[in-house]
Amino acid sequence: MTAIGQLYGVDLKTCTQNSSTALCKLLFGHFSGSLKRVSEPGKQAVIPLARRDIDEELLNEYSFSVDQLMELAGLSCATAVSKGYPLQSLLKSPPRVLVICGPGNNGEDGSVCARHLKLFGYEPFVLYPKHPYKLLFQKPTIQCEKMDISFLTEMPEVDVIDEEYNLVVDAIFGFSFKGSLREPFGDILSQLKKITVPIASIDIPLGWDVENGCPDGIQPDMLISLTAPEKAANHFTGRYHFLGGRFVAPALEKFQLNLPLYPDTDCVYQLN
Amino acid sequence: MNHSSNEKEPETIEPLRYLSKSEVATVETELLRDYRFGQQQLIEIWGHACAIAITKAFPLSSLSKKQPTLLVVCGPEQNGSIGLVCARHLRMFEYEPTIFYPKRSPQSLHQDFTVQCEKMDIPFLSYLPTEVQLLNDAYNLVIDAILGPETDHKEVKEPYAGMLVTLKQVKIPIVSVDVPSGWDVDEPAKDGINPEVLISLTAPKKCATGFSGKHFLAGRFLPYDIQKKYELNLPEFPGTECVIEL
């Protein structure tokens, strides 16, 4: 283990007996299994890993609650948006942001993001295209409602989006999405392909395959990868790629396959 | 400060409100019951904001000892849990916190916070030395997350009474979370601990009026409705910051 550590520039002294938790072992497993060697000094290799496994570890081994992780994730997304699209740079005042939330975790992250955007001075509008009864009672939704965030009942037309909004946040599907898009998301995808305002996608842009991306899908201007970038992120060609979801200490991050260190107390890191 | 873009009347700066013990309890109940915030969510927000305030009051480069060590003393209730979350974020910000958490809360909610800290390799002390010099030598500062507004200051039991005696004698700076431990929420204590820095959560408490040390307001999440209802008149946080120095 020490030899591998030296090869990849990892300080194994920080991985003590106590911290050889499943997370460490898991990451280390990925590390020694499928990683690329950092051949040039100073060159960072961003290696895709099983995000699902990391999240499971955070929830099980680390006893994080979904509430906690979502709060930090949503805050990261809002912070990334405000770095890429500062208030003063946007034409409308306050700038209007359309946040499209899917039915799962990605959507909940979007909801928390909307709440923080409101606190930062943006005017978010949330759309849950598929809004089953149970979502009405979800805490993130209620928190948004109580913050006077408007909820749309249907997806606006392409020209309306271009006219009325500065930005669209795509919080529809994340890394757990598989298979083909069911309605109404197929329609939403076609509309998003036609709009001219920038799109910021959380984790996986709508319509993209988690590993292979999607050459004729939407091409978002911003991608916010949570915890670690997915394989699909290699296909991202937009202006801003942010890393968010700062959950683990630097010593453990060293095992995260050369993820960069977040500066100071920032909860986002710009990857490009 | 008004955030609504509809009202164009000239801005008169209303003074920041300092809350009483009962008002603090009422606001929190409303947040949980009506606004559907989760307890763990709130504690995470507060702990994270607290940690950021500490990095502003004591940046890594300003610490005098070789290692950026801090002692985080956590009480049994919510204030202690906020201390735990704060310690975890400080660890992420490259400080070296050590926690002293003598009486652990039996609530699973609070136990989770302990696990999160343990998994981040944050050491837990098994006892607090009474020799004050040991603390002065080992740590750059002490974070007091012992007793918060939920405690009755008149009934401070052991081991906390003893701990407060020790803390009153340390020479290193004390940073208190929300309310200096042992103080009455509504009035400053005459012979209580004397922190150098106070981090008020959400809104300052009455006992902080006239606080002479560094005073931060931490936690940017309050819905505008609550701010208006209680006439909090919170200052405007700069940019995307969740902490502001008062």
Side-chain angles (χ1 to χ4, degrees):
Chain A
M1 293 249 286
T2 318
I4 294 177
Q6 278 169 352
L7 196 62
Y8 294 95
V10 171
D11 180 12
L12 281 166
K13 289 199 211 87
T14 52
C15 182
T16 62
Q17 280 285 5
N18 292 337
S19 71
S20 286
T21 60
L23 179 61
C24 254
K25 287 194 189 121
L26 180 79
L27 292 169
F28 206 70
H30 281 280
F31 205 74
S32 52
S34 60
L35 54 77
K36 292 185 197 126
R37 185 190 305 200
V38 179
S39 49
E40 286 139 55
K43 192 166 183 194
Q44 300 249 347
V46 176
I47 299 150
L49 47 77
R51 161 74 185 286
R52 183 194 318 274
D53 295 326
I54 293 229
D55 273 12
E56 258 176 46
E57 284 304 315
L58 287 171
L59 292 170
N60 298 331
E61 277 275 326
Y62 280 64
S63 291
F64 274 101
S65 72
V66 175
D67 273 11
Q68 280 172 281
L69 297 182
M70 242 166 38
E71 188 68 24
L72 296 174
L75 176 64
S76 295
C77 293
T79 307
V81 165
S82 64
K83 282 192 192 290
Y85 311 100
L87 282 174
Q88 320 88 292
S89 74
L90 299 177
L91 293 172
K92 297 176 180 52
S93 180
R96 294 161 63 113
V97 180
L98 175 61
V99 184
I100 311 177
C101 299
N105 289 336
N106 205 256
E108 290 189 16
D109 287 342
S111 204
V112 177
C113 172
R115 182 162 56 80
H116 285 284
L117 283 175
K118 177 98 184 189
L119 289 163
F120 292 162
Y122 294 79
E123 194 67 56
F125 289 78
V126 175
L127 169 67
Y128 275 104
K130 230 181 177 164
H131 206 177
Y133 195 55
K134 73 174 174 89
L135 281 178
L136 289 170
F137 296 100
Q138 253 178 11
K139 289 196 267 193
T141 313
I142 297 179
Q143 290 166 21
C144 279
E145 280 175 350
K146 294 288 191 176
M147 290 275 285
D148 273 339
I149 292 174
S150 303
F151 280 74
L152 302 181
T153 47
E154 52 182 24
M155 178 75 171
E157 297 293 333
V158 172
D159 51 350
V160 172
I161 297 179
D162 281 342
E163 172 86 21
E164 310 244 318
Y165 297 94
N166 290 105
L167 174 73
V168 172
V169 172
D170 154 26
I172 304 174
F173 290 119
F175 63 87
S176 49
F177 177 71
K178 273 185 169 51
S180 52
L181 286 179
R182 275 186 276 184
E183 290 314 320
F185 299 108
D187 271 349
I188 291 182
L189 178 61
S190 335
Q191 279 170 278
L192 289 181
K193 280 202 244 184
K194 295 183 198 146
I195 61 172
T196 58
V197 291
I199 300 175
S201 286
I202 301 180
D203 256 351
I204 305 286
L206 180 66
W208 284 34
D209 176 276
V210 171
E211 298 202 347
N212 304 318
C214 181
D216 66 344
I218 57 167
Q219 299 302 332
D221 193 40
M222 174 183 282
L223 177 63
I224 303 158
S225 292
L226 295 175
T227 314
E230 294 293 328
K231 262 196 172 122
N234 289 327
H235 301 272
F236 176 68
T237 54
R239 285 187 296 165
Y240 305 108
H241 187 188
F242 279 93
L243 180 68
R246 183 177 183 179
F247 304 131
V248 288
L252 295 176
E253 270 187 34
K254 286 203 178 92
F255 289 93
Q256 281 197 20
L257 313 166
N258 297 319
L259 278 183
L261 289 179
Y262 286 86
D264 296 322
T265 57
D266 283 8
C267 59
V268 292
Y269 182 88
Q270 192 163 356
L271 290 169
N272 69 347
Chain B
M1 291 270 196
N2 84 56
H3 293 266
S4 167
S5 50
N6 293 329
E7 293 157 13
K8 298 272 185 231
E9 58 209 25
E11 276 191 43
T12 43
I13 309 220
E14 296 288 342
L16 176 60
R17 273 210 68 214
Y18 286 65
L19 299 181
S20 69
K21 185 176 172 126
S22 57
E23 284 168 325
V24 172
T26 313
V27 169
E28 196 170 312
T29 306
E30 250 186 74
L31 284 172
L32 296 169
R33 185 193 60 208
D34 302 335
Y35 287 75
R36 302 301 300 279
F37 277 90
Q39 195 92 49
Q40 267 178 322
Q41 183 187 9
L42 289 179
I43 296 175
E44 185 71 28
I45 291 173
W46 284 324
H48 174 239
C50 233
I52 294 191
I54 291 167
T55 66
K56 288 192 190 292
F58 298 98
L60 276 172
S61 51
S62 73
L63 300 178
S64 52
K65 299 193 166 49
K66 216 169 90 180
Q67 305 292 105
T69 53
L70 328 150
L71 177 62
V72 187
V73 187
C74 299
E77 292 172 6
Q78 184 158 277
N79 203 257
S81 292
I82 296 172
L84 293 176
V85 175
C86 177
R88 173 165 46 86
H89 284 280
L90 285 171
R91 177 85 176 87
M92 286 203 280
F93 300 153
E94 310 234 344
Y95 289 74
E96 284 176 24
T98 295
I99 295 173
F100 180 54
Y101 189 26
K103 261 201 172 145
R104 306 210 175 173
S105 164
Q107 289 180 43
S108 64
L109 195 91
H110 296 189
Q111 280 176 349
D112 288 344
F113 293 126
T114 312
V115 173
Q116 290 156 24
C117 283
E118 285 169 344
K119 297 290 185 180
M120 297 267 182
D121 275 347
I122 299 173
F124 280 70
L125 290 183
S126 44
Y127 74 98
L128 186 71
T130 43
E131 304 92 67
V132 174
Q133 199 48 44
L134 286 176
L135 297 174
N136 292 338
D137 288 341
Y139 304 105
N140 289 279
L141 48 112
V142 178
I143 295 164
D144 155 35
I146 309 172
L147 304 172
E150 66 275 1
T151 328
D152 184 351
H153 71 286
K154 294 192 203 79
E155 290 201 10
V156 179
K157 300 195 193 94
E158 289 306 331
Y160 306 108
M163 276 159 55
L164 289 179
V165 168
T166 308
L167 289 185
K168 275 193 234 182
Q169 299 165 49
V170 293
K171 297 273 188 294
I172 50 180
I174 299 178
V175 179
S176 284
V177 172
D178 216 11
V179 172
S181 294
W183 286 33
D184 178 346
V185 181
D186 296 331
E187 271 181 35
K190 297 184 188 71
D191 63 346
I193 58 165
N194 196 17
E196 209 172 278
V197 176
L198 175 62
I199 303 171
S200 290
L201 301 175
T202 315
K205 320 297 177 285
K206 278 202 158 107
C207 60
T209 339
F211 178 69
S212 55
K214 254 196 175 153
H215 191 185
F216 289 91
L217 178 63
R220 181 182 186 173
F221 67 97
L222 266 192
Y224 298 124
D225 281 357
I226 287 199
Q227 293 186 34
K228 265 192 257 172
K229 179 173 176 181
Y230 294 94
E231 293 172 314
L232 297 180
N233 301 315
L234 297 180
E236 225 169 87
F237 289 89
T240 58
E241 304 256 13
C242 60
V243 170
I244 186 167
E245 188 169 347
L246 294 176

